[in-house]
Coordinates of all heavy atoms in Angstrom, one line a residue:
Y17 N 16.9 13.0 -1.9 CA 16.1 13.6 -0.7 C 16.8 14.0 0.4 O 17.8 13.3 0.8 CB 15.1 12.4 -0.4 CG 14.1 12.7 0.6 CD1 12.9 13.4 0.4 CD2 14.3 12.3 2.0 CE1 11.9 13.6 1.3 CE2 13.4 12.5 3.0 CZ 12.1 13.3 2.6 OH 11.3 13.6 3.7
S40 N 10.8 15.7 11.3 CA 10.4 14.7 10.5 C 9.0 14.3 10.7 O 8.7 13.2 10.2 CB 11.5 13.5 10.7 OG 12.7 14.1 10.3
N41 N 8.3 15.0 11.3 CA 6.8 14.8 11.6 C 6.6 13.4 12.2 O 5.5 12.8 12.0 CB 6.0 14.9 10.2 CG 6.2 16.2 9.6 OD1 6.7 17.2 10.2 ND2 6.0 16.3 8.2
E42 N 7.5 13.1 13.1 CA 7.4 11.9 13.9 C 6.4 12.1 15.1 O 6.2 13.2 15.5 CB 8.7 11.4 14.5 CG 9.8 11.2 13.2 CD 11.2 11.5 13.5 OE1 11.5 12.3 14.4 OE2 12.0 11.0 12.8
G91 N 3.9 -1.6 1.8 CA 5.2 -1.0 1.4 C 6.2 -0.9 2.5 O 5.7 -0.7 3.7
N92 N 7.4 -0.6 2.2 CA 8.4 -0.3 3.1 C 8.4 1.2 3.3 O 9.1 2.2 2.9 CB 9.8 -0.6 2.5 CG 10.9 -0.6 3.4 OD1 11.6 0.4 3.6 ND2 11.1 -1.6 4.1
G93 N 7.3 1.6 4.1 CA 6.9 3.0 4.2 C 6.0 3.3 3.1 O 6.1 2.5 2.0
S94 N 5.3 4.3 3.2 CA 4.4 4.6 1.9 C 5.3 5.2 0.8 O 4.9 5.2 -0.3 CB 3.2 5.5 2.2 OG 3.5 6.6 2.8
N95 N 6.5 5.7 1.0 CA 7.2 6.0 -0.1 C 7.6 4.9 -1.0 O 7.7 5.2 -2.2 CB 8.8 6.6 0.6 CG 8.6 8.0 1.1 OD1 7.8 8.6 0.7 ND2 9.5 8.2 1.9
D96 N 7.7 3.8 -0.4 CA 7.9 2.6 -1.3 C 6.8 2.5 -2.2 O 6.9 2.3 -3.5 CB 8.1 1.3 -0.4 CG 8.5 0.1 -1.1 OD1 9.1 0.1 -2.1 OD2 8.1 -1.0 -0.6
I97 N 5.6 2.6 -1.7 CA 4.3 2.5 -2.5 C 4.3 3.6 -3.6 O 4.0 3.3 -4.8 CB 3.1 2.7 -1.7 CG1 2.9 1.6 -0.5 CG2 1.8 2.6 -2.5 CD1 2.5 0.3 -1.1
L98 N 4.7 4.8 -3.2 CA 4.6 6.0 -4.1 C 5.7 5.6 -5.3 O 5.4 5.9 -6.5 CB 5.1 7.4 -3.5 CG 4.2 7.6 -2.4 CD1 4.8 8.9 -1.6 CD2 2.8 8.2 -2.9
A118 N 4.7 20.4 -3.4 CA 4.1 19.0 -2.9 C 5.3 18.2 -2.6 O 6.4 18.6 -2.7 CB 3.3 18.4 -4.1
F119 N 4.8 17.2 -1.9 CA 5.9 16.1 -1.3 C 6.9 15.8 -2.3 O 6.8 15.5 -3.4 CB 5.1 14.9 -0.7 CG 6.0 14.0 0.1 CD1 6.9 14.4 1.1 CD2 5.8 12.7 -0.2 CE1 7.6 13.5 1.8 CE2 6.6 11.7 0.6 CZ 7.4 12.2 1.6
A120 N 8.3 15.9 -1.8 CA 9.5 15.8 -2.7 C 9.5 14.5 -3.3 O 10.0 14.4 -4.5 CB 10.8 16.0 -1.9
I121 N 8.9 13.4 -2.8 CA 9.2 12.1 -3.4 C 8.6 11.9 -4.8 O 9.0 11.2 -5.8 CB 8.5 10.9 -2.5 CG1 9.4 11.0 -1.1 CG2 8.7 9.5 -3.1 CD1 10.8 10.6 -1.2
Y122 N 7.5 12.7 -5.1 CA 6.8 12.6 -6.2 C 7.8 12.9 -7.5 O 7.9 12.3 -8.4 CB 5.6 13.5 -6.4 CG 4.7 13.5 -5.2 CD1 3.9 14.6 -4.8 CD2 4.5 12.2 -4.5 CE1 3.0 14.4 -3.7 CE2 3.6 12.1 -3.4 CZ 2.9 13.2 -2.9 OH 2.1 13.1 -2.0
I161 N -1.4 13.5 -5.5 CA -2.0 14.6 -4.6 C -1.8 14.2 -3.1 O -2.1 13.1 -2.8 CB -3.4 14.7 -4.9 CG1 -3.8 15.1 -6.3 CG2 -4.2 15.6 -3.9 CD1 -5.2 15.2 -6.7
A162 N -1.2 15.0 -2.4 CA -1.0 14.8 -0.9 C -2.1 15.6 -0.2 O -2.2 16.8 -0.4 CB 0.4 15.3 -0.5
N163 N -2.8 14.9 0.6 CA -4.0 15.6 1.4 C -4.0 15.0 2.7 O -4.5 13.9 3.0 CB -5.4 15.3 0.6 CG -6.3 16.5 1.1 OD1 -6.0 17.6 1.2 ND2 -7.6 16.0 1.3
P164 N -3.7 15.8 3.8 CA -3.0 17.1 3.7 C -1.6 17.0 3.1 O -1.1 15.9 3.1 CB -2.8 17.5 5.3 CG -3.7 16.6 6.0 CD -3.9 15.3 5.2
N165 N -1.2 18.1 2.5 CA 0.2 18.2 1.9 C 1.3 18.3 2.9 O 1.1 19.0 4.0 CB 0.1 19.3 0.9 CG 1.4 19.4 0.1 OD1 1.9 18.2 -0.3 ND2 2.0 20.5 -0.1
N166 N 2.4 17.8 2.6 CA 3.7 18.0 3.2 C 4.7 18.7 2.3 O 4.7 18.2 1.2 CB 4.2 16.7 3.7 CG 5.6 16.8 4.3 OD1 6.1 17.9 4.5 ND2 6.3 15.7 4.4
P167 N 5.2 19.9 2.5 CA 5.5 20.6 3.8 C 4.5 21.7 4.1 O 4.9 22.5 5.0 CB 6.8 21.1 3.6 CG 6.9 21.5 2.1 CD 6.0 20.4 1.4
D193 N -2.3 10.6 -1.5 CA -1.3 10.4 -0.4 C -1.9 10.9 0.9 O -1.9 12.2 1.0 CB -0.1 10.9 -0.8 CG 1.1 10.9 0.2 OD1 0.8 10.4 1.3 OD2 2.2 11.2 -0.1
E194 N -2.3 10.0 1.7 CA -3.0 10.5 3.0 C -2.2 10.1 4.2 O -2.7 9.6 5.2 CB -4.4 9.8 3.1 CG -5.3 10.2 2.0 CD -6.8 9.8 2.3 OE1 -7.0 8.8 2.9 OE2 -7.6 10.6 1.8
A195 N -0.9 10.5 4.2 CA 0.0 10.1 5.2 C -0.4 10.7 6.6 O -0.1 10.2 7.6 CB 1.5 10.8 5.0
Y196 N -1.2 11.8 6.5 CA -1.7 12.5 7.9 C -3.0 12.5 8.1 O -3.7 13.3 8.9 CB -1.2 14.1 7.7 CG 0.3 14.1 7.5 CD1 0.8 14.3 6.2 CD2 1.1 14.1 8.6 CE1 2.2 14.5 6.0 CE2 2.5 14.2 8.3 CZ 3.0 14.4 7.1 OH 4.2 14.5 6.9
T219 N -3.0 6.1 -0.5 CA -1.8 5.5 0.3 C -1.8 6.0 1.8 O -2.3 7.2 2.1 CB -0.5 6.0 -0.3 OG1 -0.3 7.4 -0.2 CG2 -0.3 5.5 -1.7
R220 N -1.4 5.2 2.7 CA -1.4 5.6 4.0 C -0.2 5.1 4.7 O 0.6 4.3 4.1 CB -2.6 4.8 4.8 CG -3.9 5.1 4.2 CD -4.7 6.2 5.1 NE -5.9 6.5 4.5 CZ -7.2 6.4 5.1 NH1 -7.3 5.6 6.1 NH2 -8.2 6.8 4.5
T221 N 0.2 5.5 5.9 CA 1.4 5.1 6.5 C 1.3 4.8 8.1 O 0.4 5.4 8.8 CB 2.5 6.2 6.3 OG1 3.8 5.8 6.9 CG2 2.2 7.5 6.8
F222 N 2.3 4.1 8.6 CA 2.3 3.9 10.1 C 3.5 4.8 10.6 O 3.8 4.8 11.8 CB 2.7 2.4 10.4 CG 1.5 1.5 10.2 CD1 1.1 0.9 9.0 CD2 0.6 1.3 11.3 CE1 0.2 0.1 8.8 CE2 -0.5 0.6 11.1 CZ -0.8 -0.1 9.8
S223 N 4.1 5.7 9.8 CA 5.2 6.5 10.2 C 4.8 7.7 11.0 O 5.6 8.3 11.7 CB 6.0 6.9 9.0 OG 6.5 5.9 8.3
K224 N 3.6 8.2 10.9 CA 3.2 9.4 11.5 C 2.3 9.3 12.8 O 2.9 8.9 13.8 CB 2.5 10.4 10.4 CG 3.4 10.6 9.2 CD 4.6 11.3 9.3 CE 5.6 11.2 8.3 NZ 5.2 11.4 6.8
L228 N 5.6 4.6 14.1 CA 6.5 3.7 13.6 C 7.4 4.0 12.6 O 7.8 3.1 11.7 CB 5.7 2.3 13.3 CG 4.8 1.8 14.3 CD1 4.0 0.5 13.7 CD2 5.5 1.5 15.6
A229 N 7.8 5.3 12.4 CA 8.6 5.8 11.3 C 9.9 4.9 11.2 O 10.2 4.7 10.1 CB 9.0 7.3 11.5
G230 N 10.6 4.6 12.3 CA 11.7 3.8 12.1 C 11.7 2.5 11.6 O 12.7 1.8 11.2
L231 N 10.5 1.9 11.5 CA 10.3 0.5 11.0 C 10.0 0.4 9.7 O 10.2 -0.7 9.0 CB 9.2 -0.1 11.9 CG 9.5 -0.7 13.2 CD1 8.4 -1.2 14.0 CD2 10.6 -1.8 13.1
R232 N 9.5 1.4 9.0 CA 9.2 1.4 7.6 C 8.0 0.6 7.2 O 8.2 -0.5 6.7 CB 10.3 1.1 6.7 CG 11.7 1.8 7.1 CD 11.7 3.4 7.2 NE 11.2 3.9 6.0 CZ 10.1 4.7 5.7 NH1 9.5 5.1 6.9 NH2 9.8 5.2 4.7
V233 N 6.8 1.1 7.4 CA 5.7 0.3 6.9 C 4.6 1.3 6.5 O 4.2 2.2 7.2 CB 5.2 -0.8 7.9 CG1 5.0 -0.3 9.2 CG2 4.0 -1.5 7.4
G234 N 4.0 1.0 5.3 CA 2.9 1.9 4.8 C 2.1 0.9 3.9 O 2.4 -0.2 3.7
Y235 N 1.0 1.6 3.3 CA 0.2 0.7 2.5 C -0.6 1.5 1.4 O -0.8 2.7 1.6 CB -0.6 -0.3 3.1 CG -1.7 0.4 4.1 CD1 -3.0 0.4 3.7 CD2 -1.4 0.9 5.3 CE1 -3.9 1.1 4.4 CE2 -2.3 1.5 6.1 CZ -3.5 1.6 5.7 OH -4.5 2.2 6.6
A303 N -2.1 19.0 9.7 CA -1.4 17.8 9.9 C -0.6 17.9 11.3 O -1.2 18.6 12.2 CB -0.3 17.6 8.8
N304 N 0.5 17.3 11.5 CA 1.2 17.3 12.7 C 2.5 18.1 12.6 O 3.5 17.9 13.3 CB 1.7 15.9 13.1 CG 2.6 15.2 12.2 OD1 2.8 15.6 11.1 ND2 3.3 14.1 12.8
F305 N 2.4 19.1 11.8 CA 3.5 20.2 11.7 C 2.9 21.5 11.2 O 1.7 21.5 10.8 CB 4.6 19.7 10.7 CG 3.9 19.4 9.3 CD1 3.8 20.4 8.4 CD2 3.4 18.2 8.9 CE1 3.2 20.3 7.2 CE2 2.8 18.0 7.7 CZ 2.6 19.0 6.8
Y334 N 11.8 23.1 -1.4 CA 10.4 23.1 -1.8 C 9.9 24.5 -2.4 O 8.6 24.8 -2.5 CB 9.5 22.7 -0.6 CG 9.5 21.3 -0.3 CD1 10.4 20.9 0.7 CD2 8.6 20.3 -0.9 CE1 10.5 19.5 1.1 CE2 8.7 19.0 -0.4 CZ 9.7 18.6 0.6 OH 9.5 17.3 1.0
R341 N 9.6 24.2 8.4 CA 8.5 23.4 8.8 C 8.8 22.8 10.2 O 10.0 22.2 10.4 CB 8.5 22.3 7.8 CG 7.3 21.4 7.9 CD 7.3 20.1 7.1 NE 8.3 19.1 7.9 CZ 8.8 18.0 7.3 NH1 8.4 17.7 6.1 NH2 9.6 17.4 7.9
Ligands
PLP1 C1 5.9 11.3 5.7 C2 5.1 11.3 4.5 C3 4.9 10.1 3.8 C4 5.3 8.8 4.4 O1 6.5 8.4 4.5 P1 6.8 6.8 4.9 O2 7.5 7.0 6.1 O3 7.5 6.4 3.7 O4 5.5 6.2 5.0 C5 4.2 10.0 2.6 N1 3.7 11.1 2.0 C6 3.9 12.2 2.6 C7 3.0 13.5 2.1 C8 4.5 12.4 3.9 O5 4.7 13.7 4.4

Side-chain angles (χ1 to χ4, degrees):
Y17 180 80
S40 302
N41 303 342
E42 296 146 341
N92 192 266
S94 55
N95 279 338
D96 188 25
I97 300 281
L98 298 170
F119 190 43
I121 297 298
Y122 311 150
I161 294 174
N163 200 41
N165 183 44
N166 171 14
D193 176 349
E194 297 189 331
Y196 302 96
T219 63
R220 303 257 175 115
T221 181
F222 285 90
S223 298
K224 308 288 160 57
L228 300 179
L231 281 178
R232 315 304 303 128
V233 50
Y235 61 99
N304 67 341
F305 56 86
Y334 285 91
R341 192 195 69 192

